[in-house]
Amino acid sequence: MKSKVVLMTCDTYDETLIYEKLQKGIEMLGGLSQFAALTESILLKPNLVRKAEVDQAVMTHPAVMGAAARIFSEAGFKDIRCGDSCGIGTTKRVMAGSGMDTALEKYGVSIRDFDRGTKVDFKDGIRAEHFILSDEVIEADALINVCKMKTHALERITGAVKNLYGCVYGINKAKGHTVYPSADSFARMLVDLNRCVRPRLHIMDGIVAMEGNGPTSGDPVPMKLLLISADPVALDSVYSRLIYLDPMMVPTVYHGEKMGLGVWQEEYITLLTEEGVMSMSEAVARFGKKDFNVDRRKVKSDGWVRMERALKIFQKKPYIRKERCVRCGICVESCPVEGKAVSFKNGASEPPVYDYRRCIRCFCCQEMCPHKAIDVKRSLFF
């Protein structure tokens, strides 16, 4: 059977309009009863990462979260929860001031901090044999993934598959980058994580996306889209095509199909719109953005990769833009490497400096920097 992906146009963050679009889109997939029973507890999983201004497109927009909550509330679900394992701060602290907490609470949603974790063995894991999951994820019956359309320094894009990393508890997220340091190994772990927690439905906020130096320091760009699917690989592949990025170049998409999470090839996807079934080429021509700023360069040959690893040069690496750095130290705190690959070597009055011999290129520092002071240098050889 083909995987269905719903594409809905939406040019504003009006919660009522989004509610109508999501409700119609879910009906196209067979209705809410296909994804959860009224007796089940629902966990809405947004993309929060860290506290940021809503218009910067760092987090899932509060209006999208409110609309999703309203759909479940009006359908008769009594136990609706929301939470995330944020990179900096807790769910409640990151939501505070964004309007997301208010948008959720008016529909009776219980906002949860992911402050407890438990080791869960995953015997079917291909790359990962266990995870330290937040207890809120374990205890909920049905996980609903409400992700954000963004770029990512390591995986090219943050989408449905990547957003589930927020199910991992606390410091274990940072540790995961040391265990799975490459884009491919990290992607394979993410695919196993999705297979382990088994989200029921994926909703992508692409009304305003993030391009460039994502997932937190990029630039907002209107895409005016909502994507909905039960297949995260198919959804992410549609997102990739809409920004003219070959899905095979996205590690989470490529490995997602190989490992049985979903499908990305066009012939196995039915694209549904308000106008009916639409071909992928027509959707890309009508709704895509050819100049979307994302890394489209092809992966280097194995020979170059081996040379780079041996020489530790020419690799993609983070660097600090001194004119923007306020010396807050968040990059140092977020570095998962033992002994730290970035530190205040020259004192706290100067910006931190990198020891690239230690750096594993996980880009946690770049992702967590709240001042857009860390960028990523590209390799000279592609």
Side-chain angles (χ1 to χ4, degrees), residues 77-94:
F77 288 86
K78 303 300 182 185
D79 187 352
I80 311 172
R81 313 165 189 180
C82 180
D84 192 12
S85 181
C86 308
I88 300 176
T90 64
T91 299
K92 293 175 183 177
R93 288 179 180 175
V94 172

Side-chain angles (χ1 to χ4, degrees), residues 10-22:
C10 188
D11 60 2
T12 177
Y13 279 114
D14 177 83
E15 187 178 312
T16 300
L17 177 61
I18 296 170
Y19 162 79
E20 293 171 352
K21 295 282 186 175
L22 291 183

Side-chain angles (χ1 to χ4, degrees), residues 258-270:
K258 287 187 68 175
M259 295 168 66
L261 178 63
V263 298
W264 66 262
Q265 298 182 64
E266 187 175 337
E267 59 266 34
Y268 299 123
I269 298 172
T270 299

Side-chain angles (χ1 to χ4, degrees), residues 36-90:
L38 290 177
T39 55
E40 291 185 301
S41 58
I42 304 298
L43 178 63
L44 301 176
K45 163 64 179 75
N47 184 321
L48 293 183
V49 191
R50 61 169 173 79
K51 197 171 184 64
E53 295 296 325
V54 172
D55 61 3
Q56 293 303 301
V58 171
M59 64 174 70
T60 307
H61 198 281
V64 176
M65 295 304 301
R70 179 181 171 185
I71 287 172
F72 281 93
S73 177
E74 291 187 353
F77 288 86
K78 303 300 182 185
D79 187 352
I80 311 172
R81 313 165 189 180
C82 180
D84 192 12
S85 181
C86 308
I88 300 176
T90 64

Side-chain angles (χ1 to χ4, degrees), residues 120-131 192 195-196:
V120 175
D121 292 325
F122 184 47
K123 62 181 178 62
D124 294 327
I126 297 171
R127 185 66 180 86
E129 297 179 348
H130 68 269
F131 297 98
D192 272 340
R195 294 172 60 234
C196 178

Side-chain angles (χ1 to χ4, degrees), residues 26-259:
I26 291 171
E27 285 300 319
M28 290 181 188
L29 295 176
L32 211 54
S33 62
Q34 297 292 314
F35 306 106
L38 290 177
T39 55
E40 291 185 301
S41 58
I42 304 298
L43 178 63
L44 301 176
K45 163 64 179 75
N47 184 321
L48 293 183
V49 191
R50 61 169 173 79
K51 197 171 184 64
E53 295 296 325
V54 172
D55 61 3
Q56 293 303 301
V58 171
M59 64 174 70
T60 307
H61 198 281
V64 176
M65 295 304 301
R70 179 181 171 185
I71 287 172
F72 281 93
S73 177
E74 291 187 353
F77 288 86
K78 303 300 182 185
D79 187 352
I80 311 172
R81 313 165 189 180
C82 180
D84 192 12
S85 181
C86 308
I88 300 176
T90 64
T91 299
K92 293 175 183 177
R93 288 179 180 175
V94 172
M95 283 187 183
S98 70
M100 189 180 297
D101 45 1
T102 304
L104 293 169
E105 287 170 349
K106 67 183 178 182
Y107 297 113
V109 177
S110 173
I111 297 172
R112 307 291 184 93
D113 288 332
F114 284 9
D115 54 8
R116 298 171 293 126
T118 300
K119 181 180 177 180
V120 175
D121 292 325
F122 184 47
K123 62 181 178 62
D124 294 327
I126 297 171
R127 185 66 180 86
E129 297 179 348
H130 68 269
F131 297 98
I132 309 296
L133 297 178
S134 295
D135 286 354
E136 295 290 349
V137 174
I138 298 170
E139 294 165 3
D141 295 318
L143 177 62
I144 307 299
N145 181 17
V146 193
C147 56
K148 185 72 176 177
M149 185 182 284
K150 299 190 294 182
T151 50
H152 194 272
L154 184 64
E155 302 293 338
R156 298 185 192 260
I157 65 168
T158 282
V161 176
K162 173 65 176 62
N163 193 46
L164 270 296
Y165 199 47
C167 293
V168 174
Y169 171 66
I171 190 65
N172 297 283
K173 290 176 65 181
K175 289 181 179 178
H177 284 285
T178 64
V179 179
Y180 311 102
S182 71
D184 279 307
S185 64
F186 195 73
R188 286 163 62 81
M189 176 276 296
L190 288 171
V191 173
D192 272 340
L193 176 60
N194 276 254
R195 294 172 60 234
C196 178
V197 299
R198 299 169 63 89
R200 305 280 184 86
L201 182 66
H202 306 269
I203 298 169
M204 177 176 282
D205 168 15
I207 298 173
V208 175
M210 176 182 285
E211 64 178 353
N213 192 28
T216 61
S217 299
D219 302 307
V221 57
M223 287 296 289
K224 303 179 182 181
L225 297 171
L226 292 164
L227 299 178
I228 315 166
S229 183
D231 181 341
V233 177
L235 188 152
D236 283 351
S237 75
V238 172
Y239 160 29
S240 299
R241 289 181 173 93
L242 289 168
I243 58 173
Y244 288 79
L245 175 64
D246 184 349
M248 283 193 67
M249 295 173 67
V250 179
T252 51
V253 171
Y254 175 76
H255 292 294
E257 182 174 85
K258 287 187 68 175
M259 295 168 66

Side-chain angles (χ1 to χ4, degrees), residues 297-362:
R297 283 167 289 189
K298 293 182 179 180
V299 177
K300 291 166 286 186
S301 68
D302 290 342
W304 278 116
V305 172
R306 286 194 296 270
M307 185 190 78
E308 286 188 356
R309 287 173 179 168
L311 299 178
K312 291 287 184 179
I313 59 174
F314 305 132
Q315 286 184 309
K316 187 165 62 172
K317 59 187 179 181
Y319 72 98
I320 293 174
R321 301 175 65 174
K322 294 182 178 181
E323 74 277 8
R324 292 188 177 184
C325 180
V326 300
R327 300 175 294 283
C328 64
I330 288 176
C331 59
V332 177
E333 294 175 14
S334 64
C335 178
V337 177
E338 185 175 353
K340 300 295 183 181
V342 58
S343 66
F344 284 107
K345 181 179 179 181
N346 299 327
S349 61
E350 295 292 325
V353 294
Y354 284 97
D355 180 350
Y356 290 114
R357 294 172 300 177
R358 292 179 179 267
C359 181
I360 62 173
R361 277 67 172 176
C362 66

